[in-house]
Amino acid sequence: MRPFVKHEMAVLCAAIAFLTRGCVISPVPEPIVVELINETSLDVTPNLFVSSAEVDSATLFGDTANRILTFTDRPFPELRAGETATVEFTCEQIARVGVLQPVLFDGFTLTTTKSTDEIFLVREGDFDCGATIRFHFFQNETGFRVRFD
């Protein structure tokens, strides 16, 4: 082998090593999964809101474009008794998420009960990319409620 070939190969290897160290490939953040869990024996309208922007609760809940209706393909955005729906978002799609005064519907008596609960969650405070956020809709001695975990 020529003397310069070894040197040229060493220079080429050093250049490749230098270039590959400077080019870091970041992994894609894991999605955020939101589960809506109806623990009641009646239908529930969850009133789920999501924003990709870092907004306050008034802005999140005040903009109807933030309301998520795609958790079902039925004409009404409701969870049937005992039903769980799952919605997946990319990390960039969900900086804020919340539930505002979900509604319980009794199809037999045609009455509704609105919860007074409001849950407002912030990414990188209450949840991170890759999280699963579960909203549980339930009834207890204080009425119709929602909680999250």
Side-chain angles (χ1 to χ4, degrees):
M1 191 182 271
R2 292 186 354 225
F4 287 107
V5 171
K6 283 185 178 178
H7 175 70
E8 292 166 351
M9 291 296 284
V11 169
L12 181 60
C13 287
I16 290 172
F18 174 77
L19 290 174
T20 57
R21 265 189 302 200
C23 182
V24 176
I25 299 173
S26 298
V28 175
E30 292 185 44
I32 297 169
V33 176
V34 176
E35 291 182 357
L36 305 169
I37 304 164
N38 182 359
E39 297 175 357
T40 76
S41 60
L42 301 172
D43 291 347
V44 169
T45 302
N47 292 332
L48 174 68
F49 290 78
V50 169
S51 176
S52 61
E54 295 180 3
V55 297
D56 61 10
S57 63
T59 304
L60 176 70
F61 298 130
D63 186 348
T64 58
N66 292 333
R67 188 166 177 218
I68 304 300
L69 306 172
T70 57
F71 61 89
T72 182
D73 58 0
R74 294 188 297 272
F76 299 103
E78 294 179 332
L79 297 167
R80 292 189 175 137
E83 181 179 22
T84 297
T86 302
V87 187
E88 187 173 295
F89 300 92
T90 64
C91 196
E92 294 79 27
Q93 290 176 309
I94 184 167
R96 304 291 187 262
V97 61
V99 169
L100 177 65
Q101 300 177 339
V103 179
L104 189 66
F105 175 68
D106 186 334
F108 183 71
T109 62
L110 300 178
T111 57
T112 60
T113 303
K114 184 185 276 190
S115 173
T116 58
D117 292 340
E118 175 182 314
I119 297 174
F120 176 73
L121 304 175
V122 175
R123 189 179 73 217
E124 297 174 2
D126 299 310
F127 64 93
D128 293 309
C129 296
T132 298
I133 303 166
R134 292 177 183 90
F135 292 103
H136 299 264
F137 303 90
F138 62 97
Q139 290 177 288
N140 64 16
E141 60 280 347
T142 62
F144 174 52
R145 306 295 311 270
V146 61
R147 66 177 169 80
F148 75 95
D149 60 33

